[in-house]
Amino acid sequence: MKSDGSTETTSVRREGPKRSEASRQAILSAAREELIEHGWRSFSPDRLSRRAKASKQTVYRWWPSVAAIAIDAAISMIDEPVIKPEEPVDVQLAAFIEPFSELARVGDGAHLLRSALLAASDDPAAGEIFRTWFNNTIRKPMKNVLAQAASKGRIRRDYDPDAVCETLFGAVWHRLILMRGPLPHVLAMKSAQAVLASLRP
Amino acid sequence: MKSDGSTETTSVRREGPKRSEASRQAILSAAREELIEHGWRSFSPDRLSRRAKASKQTVYRWWPSVAAIAIDAAISMIDEPVIKPEEPVDVQLAAFIEPFSELARVGDGAHLLRSALLAASDDPAAGEIFRTWFNNTIRKPMKNVLAQAASKGRIRRDYDPDAVCETLFGAVWHRLILMRGPLPHVLAMKSAQAVLASLRP
Amino acid sequence: MKSDGSTETTSVRREGPKRSEASRQAILSAAREELIEHGWRSFSPDRLSRRAKASKQTVYRWWPSVAAIAIDAAISMIDEPVIKPEEPVDVQLAAFIEPFSELARVGDGAHLLRSALLAASDDPAAGEIFRTWFNNTIRKPMKNVLAQAASKGRIRRDYDPDAVCETLFGAVWHRLILMRGPLPHVLAMKSAQAVLASLRP
Amino acid sequence: MKSDGSTETTSVRREGPKRSEASRQAILSAAREELIEHGWRSFSPDRLSRRAKASKQTVYRWWPSVAAIAIDAAISMIDEPVIKPEEPVDVQLAAFIEPFSELARVGDGAHLLRSALLAASDDPAAGEIFRTWFNNTIRKPMKNVLAQAASKGRIRRDYDPDAVCETLFGAVWHRLILMRGPLPHVLAMKSAQAVLASLRP
DNA sequence: CGCTAACCGAGACGGTACGTCTGGTCTTCTT
DNA sequence: AAGAAGACCAGACGTACCGTCTCGGTTAGCG
């Protein structure tokens, strides 16, 4: 997630005070608490600014929408997947899901995650933020893993990488959003193995 | 959208201290329009009752929550899946997805569907309504189909029916909720075949 | 306050296509309680009919407005003044005020009286009902008393009867409506004597 | 009715986190119109804020109750009585009533006045506001006038100042609230003279 | 070292929505 | 025909929230 944008080397002179990092953190932190307590539909800038002891002006100055805050707040809690090329393919695929199920397991992480996904779905612009992040963090690396596997002959050559991604994460959304069920540790491996089973060369 | 509407012989009839079917239909119809125009987060009982020319009292009298209305409004647009036991298993499985992708293809059906899913996720009680419907309409019949297929030796005996359901519909949710992408006609068959490929005996 | 209530030997009898006296009494009685509890501005036909176990239809059928009910409910509690021609003029004049201050002294009578006066003032039509009653019960008899007194030479011949009435009851309204003060027993006599003092022949 | 209104040089200025005087005036002005058009019982914060183009929040922020607004709106239209000690006592007493009958004579002033009095009677807290104003503006100054007159031997020494006030204004209330009659110019002097007649030394 | 500009918390503003209660009307069923 | 019951549309209730605006104070860096 692009948070501050410190690359302003060109002509746009930023005179005077700079963005308060303390305020930014307070708002994101308050956002997490608010999303967990009240959910996405009742996520209100008013309560947010009150809880963060920040003025509404400050909130509106730095985020394009409340949905963007929700996504920002949640994404910053999801670790980057750690892929080790030397491991078997199923383990590598499962590694993409791990950060999600890990967050969903601790405390009210599932609620936070769900709220952010709802925000991404509700607000098209904010959804674009999420999709960009998802593409960079999940979809592209996964494509690489699959390409590698295919070149080694582990899976069929006529596989559809997007369909694989869809299937793997579809199960996550199904449990998280619709079923409000848990994301047990084994889910990642079971999904990965099922997908691979359908891709046997 | 309007299914019967045949009773409107005179101008605007009221039928006394019984629930008015005309009012119910007007509210559901207005709900569909509101969800499509404004989305779930801005789905307001105020605007709904104004559009339906119904009093808010009437809305609150007959539905436990706005989320319940959203789900009611969407579910009533989803046709029951038509399963023909004599057809191949992949066709039967695809038939469960068909009603969804069919609705998503016409007009703003996708938006309506997405809004209802958000409602189901936002409001736990309303989510229960959706889950009950999903269980009766999709999950249980699908279990029967799978059991039949297993008894005929078409698929492995150690299959997990919930995982199959999860995988099949996960792709739908992924496209509908997160990617805001289309649900092309072939998706149903492709998903069904991929799932079956992983269940080869 | 409950005037009949004795006929309720069986449960709740209904007596067909005549106006139900039981219903009328129940409504008036409930009206008194409602006016005392909630005051005029919050006097609601809804609560009234609920408390009286009468349908709103019945209320609207027999009274032209809620204000009329309030006045009806209060007036029926005010005794007719008892005038004895053989007594001194000041006693006779004071006798007109007595029923008011008597009602105001018992329980929440002052509140009931005040509410009815507000109703009479708020609703012009209902005000007319009150004025008619006041004219017949107070103003005309008082005029007779004054004419008698004048013919006996007790007061000046150029008195203005309406001004006398106005002065006597003005003090009552002042205390009752604006000051929310008590109407002590001596007030009637003091007012009467003050008025007479200004009419000495 | 509009007293200054001169500050509106630019279109509609807002002046930040201080109370907006423009808003206050708009609300009081709208309140006067609403009270005249609909009376006290139908005086609704909803319509008031709509007419004043002010938000309901703003109304509730600055007034403790709707009744308080009604009283504020009316009182601000009643001029302070102008008492000249060198004039006869009856003229001085009449001067207290003059501002009331003056307001009642112009346009719908009587309706406005009546509505405010009903508000004062309906709401005990708001009534207290009115009583405080009445005490400071009418009762205390009148006591001074009477004390002066008594010390000069114009009236009896054993007069009751509250009874005098009650009698003088009782006639006003009687006409204004109950009889819905006019407050002719002569009323003030006639009442004053009648009261004084009963106080002859 | 004072000026200026962007920052910040605070909060008033006109609006809209919340879920509940009420106002009058109407309809059905019961007596 | 009268009455109890209650559904209906309309809209008021007081509170909470929306996004915009203005205030007064603070802080950086340029002149």
Side-chain angles (χ1 to χ4, degrees):
Chain A
M1 190 69 198
K2 182 76 78 48
S3 50
D4 64 342
S6 54
T7 52
E8 304 271 334
T9 45
T10 60
S11 65
V12 184
R13 299 190 301 106
R14 291 273 327 278
E15 297 175 336
K18 297 287 175 55
R19 173 171 192 181
S20 157
E21 176 63 16
S23 175
R24 190 183 143 261
Q25 287 298 340
I27 287 169
L28 285 180
S29 184
R32 286 190 271 267
E33 294 169 28
E34 284 289 323
L35 284 173
I36 287 166
E37 276 182 32
H38 300 285
W40 161 243
R41 216 204 182 208
S42 307
F43 182 55
S44 107
D46 246 27
R47 252 201 323 256
L48 173 64
S49 70
R50 231 178 295 138
R51 159 118 53 170
K53 288 190 185 304
S55 100
K56 282 197 283 178
Q57 187 70 277
T58 306
V59 172
Y60 285 114
R61 210 192 323 260
W62 300 111
W63 282 275
S65 66
V66 274
I69 303 176
I71 292 169
D72 203 346
I75 279 181
S76 59
M77 300 298 287
I78 305 175
D79 296 330
E80 287 236 340
V82 182
I83 310 300
K84 297 176 186 153
E86 69 275 13
E87 299 206 89
V89 186
D90 55 355
V91 174
Q92 290 190 56
L93 287 184
F96 287 102
I97 295 180
E98 252 310 300
F100 285 83
S101 61
E102 195 181 330
L103 174 55
R105 269 196 303 274
V106 298
D108 296 300
H111 212 348
L112 173 59
L113 209 42
R114 177 166 39 241
S115 297
L117 292 170
L118 295 186
S121 184
D122 238 335
D123 182 321
E128 205 50 47
I129 298 177
F130 175 78
R131 276 187 290 278
T132 302
W133 173 86
F134 187 79
N135 201 25
N136 291 333
T137 315
I138 309 285
R139 197 165 148 272
K140 278 187 196 165
M142 191 185 286
K143 262 187 169 170
N144 290 338
V145 167
L146 290 171
Q148 205 80 22
S151 73
K152 287 184 190 160
R154 302 273 200 273
I155 60 174
R156 294 163 50 182
R157 307 208 91 95
D158 62 338
Y159 69 94
D160 176 348
D162 285 332
V164 173
C165 186
E166 217 162 84
T167 302
L168 277 172
F169 277 87
V172 174
W173 311 145
H174 186 82
R175 296 215 174 194
L176 201 54
I177 298 184
L178 289 173
M179 289 306 160
R180 286 179 167 258
L183 290 183
H185 194 68
V186 286
L187 177 67
M189 273 304 285
K190 278 178 67 180
S191 291
Q193 286 166 350
V195 163
L196 287 176
S198 71
L199 293 179
R200 271 183 299 222
Chain B
M1 204 160 267
K2 188 75 91 35
S3 48
D4 64 336
S6 56
T7 52
E8 303 265 332
T9 37
T10 71
S11 60
V12 183
R13 297 266 299 122
R14 290 245 12 277
E15 51 234 77
K18 295 286 174 59
R19 175 167 193 181
S20 156
E21 176 63 16
S23 176
R24 192 184 141 261
Q25 287 297 341
I27 288 170
L28 284 179
S29 185
R32 287 190 270 265
E33 294 170 27
E34 284 290 322
L35 284 173
I36 286 166
E37 276 182 33
H38 300 283
W40 162 243
R41 211 196 188 215
S42 306
F43 182 57
S44 100
D46 252 29
R47 253 201 323 256
L48 172 64
S49 70
R50 233 178 293 138
R51 160 119 51 173
K53 288 189 184 305
S55 106
K56 283 199 281 179
Q57 191 76 9
T58 305
V59 172
Y60 284 111
R61 206 186 334 253
W62 301 111
W63 282 276
S65 66
V66 272
I69 302 175
I71 292 168
D72 202 347
I75 279 181
S76 59
M77 299 299 289
I78 305 174
D79 296 329
E80 288 237 338
V82 182
I83 310 301
K84 296 174 186 154
E86 69 275 13
E87 300 206 88
V89 186
D90 55 357
V91 174
Q92 290 190 55
L93 287 183
F96 286 103
I97 296 181
E98 252 311 299
F100 285 83
S101 60
E102 193 182 333
L103 174 55
R105 270 195 304 275
V106 297
D108 296 299
H111 212 347
L112 172 60
L113 212 39
R114 176 165 41 243
S115 297
L117 292 171
L118 295 188
S121 184
D122 241 333
D123 182 321
E128 204 49 46
I129 297 177
F130 173 78
R131 277 187 287 281
T132 302
W133 173 85
F134 187 79
N135 201 25
N136 291 333
T137 315
I138 308 285
R139 194 164 150 273
K140 279 188 194 164
M142 191 185 286
K143 264 188 168 170
N144 289 339
V145 167
L146 290 170
Q148 205 81 22
S151 73
K152 288 183 189 160
R154 300 274 200 276
I155 60 173
R156 293 163 51 182
R157 307 207 91 95
D158 63 338
Y159 69 94
D160 175 350
D162 284 332
V164 172
C165 186
E166 216 163 85
T167 302
L168 277 172
F169 276 88
V172 174
W173 311 145
H174 186 80
R175 298 213 172 196
L176 202 55
I177 298 183
L178 289 174
M179 289 306 158
R180 286 180 168 259
L183 291 183
H185 193 69
V186 286
L187 177 67
M189 272 304 284
K190 278 178 65 180
S191 292
Q193 285 165 351
V195 163
L196 287 177
S198 71
L199 293 178
R200 272 183 300 224
Chain C
M1 206 158 266
K2 191 71 93 31
S3 46
D4 63 337
S6 55
T7 52
E8 303 267 329
T9 36
T10 71
S11 59
V12 182
R13 297 267 299 117
R14 290 252 4 283
E15 50 231 78
K18 294 282 178 57
R19 175 166 191 182
S20 156
E21 175 64 16
S23 176
R24 195 184 83 92
Q25 286 299 340
I27 288 169
L28 285 179
S29 184
R32 286 190 271 267
E33 294 170 27
E34 284 290 322
L35 285 172
I36 287 166
E37 275 182 33
H38 300 284
W40 161 242
R41 212 201 185 210
S42 307
F43 182 57
S44 105
D46 248 26
R47 252 202 321 259
L48 173 65
S49 70
R50 229 176 297 138
R51 161 121 48 175
K53 289 190 184 307
S55 97
K56 282 200 281 180
Q57 188 70 276
T58 307
V59 172
Y60 286 115
R61 210 189 326 258
W62 298 111
W63 282 275
S65 66
V66 273
I69 303 177
I71 292 170
D72 203 347
I75 279 181
S76 59
M77 299 300 287
I78 305 174
D79 295 332
E80 287 235 341
V82 182
I83 310 301
K84 298 174 185 156
E86 68 277 11
E87 299 206 89
V89 186
D90 55 356
V91 175
Q92 290 190 53
L93 287 183
F96 286 103
I97 296 181
E98 252 311 299
F100 285 82
S101 59
E102 194 181 333
L103 174 55
R105 269 196 303 276
V106 297
D108 296 298
H111 212 348
L112 173 60
L113 208 42
R114 177 166 39 243
S115 296
L117 291 170
L118 295 186
S121 185
D122 238 335
D123 183 320
E128 204 51 47
I129 298 178
F130 175 78
R131 276 188 288 280
T132 301
W133 173 85
F134 187 80
N135 201 26
N136 291 334
T137 316
I138 308 285
R139 194 162 148 274
K140 278 187 195 165
M142 191 186 287
K143 262 187 169 169
N144 289 339
V145 167
L146 289 171
Q148 205 80 24
S151 73
K152 287 183 189 163
R154 301 275 201 274
I155 60 173
R156 293 163 53 183
R157 307 209 91 95
D158 63 338
Y159 68 95
D160 176 348
D162 284 333
V164 171
C165 186
E166 216 163 84
T167 302
L168 277 172
F169 276 88
V172 174
W173 312 145
H174 185 82
R175 297 214 172 196
L176 200 57
I177 298 183
L178 290 173
M179 289 306 158
R180 286 180 167 258
L183 290 183
H185 194 69
V186 285
L187 177 68
M189 273 305 284
K190 278 178 66 179
S191 291
Q193 285 165 351
V195 162
L196 287 177
S198 71
L199 293 179
R200 271 182 302 223
Chain D
M1 204 161 267
K2 190 73 89 34
S3 47
D4 66 339
S6 57
T7 50
E8 302 264 333
T9 37
T10 72
S11 59
V12 182
R13 298 265 300 123
R14 289 240 18 271
E15 50 233 81
K18 296 286 173 58
R19 175 167 192 180
S20 156
E21 176 64 16
S23 176
R24 193 184 141 258
Q25 287 297 340
I27 289 169
L28 285 179
S29 184
R32 287 190 270 266
E33 293 169 28
E34 284 290 322
L35 284 173
I36 287 165
E37 275 182 32
H38 300 284
W40 162 242
R41 214 204 183 208
S42 306
F43 183 57
S44 100
D46 252 29
R47 254 202 321 257
L48 171 64
S49 68
R50 233 178 293 140
R51 160 122 47 175
K53 289 188 182 306
S55 105
K56 281 199 281 179
Q57 191 77 13
T58 305
V59 172
Y60 285 111
R61 210 189 327 259
W62 300 112
W63 282 276
S65 66
V66 272
I69 302 175
I71 291 168
D72 202 347
I75 280 181
S76 59
M77 299 299 288
I78 305 174
D79 297 329
E80 286 237 338
V82 182
I83 311 300
K84 296 175 185 153
E86 69 275 11
E87 299 206 88
V89 186
D90 54 356
V91 174
Q92 291 190 54
L93 287 183
F96 286 103
I97 295 180
E98 251 311 299
F100 286 82
S101 60
E102 194 183 330
L103 174 55
R105 271 196 303 276
V106 298
D108 295 301
H111 211 347
L112 172 59
L113 213 39
R114 174 166 42 242
S115 297
L117 292 170
L118 295 188
S121 185
D122 240 334
D123 182 322
E128 205 49 47
I129 298 177
F130 174 77
R131 277 188 288 280
T132 302
W133 173 86
F134 187 80
N135 201 24
N136 291 333
T137 315
I138 309 285
R139 195 164 148 273
K140 279 187 195 165
M142 191 185 285
K143 263 187 168 170
N144 289 339
V145 167
L146 290 171
Q148 205 80 23
S151 72
K152 287 185 189 161
R154 301 274 199 273
I155 59 172
R156 294 163 50 182
R157 305 209 93 96
D158 63 336
Y159 68 95
D160 176 349
D162 285 333
V164 172
C165 187
E166 215 163 85
T167 302
L168 277 171
F169 277 87
V172 173
W173 311 145
H174 186 81
R175 295 210 176 199
L176 203 55
I177 299 184
L178 289 174
M179 289 306 159
R180 287 179 169 257
L183 291 183
H185 193 69
V186 287
L187 177 67
M189 273 304 286
K190 278 178 67 179
S191 291
Q193 284 167 350
V195 163
L196 286 176
S198 71
L199 293 178
R200 272 181 301 222

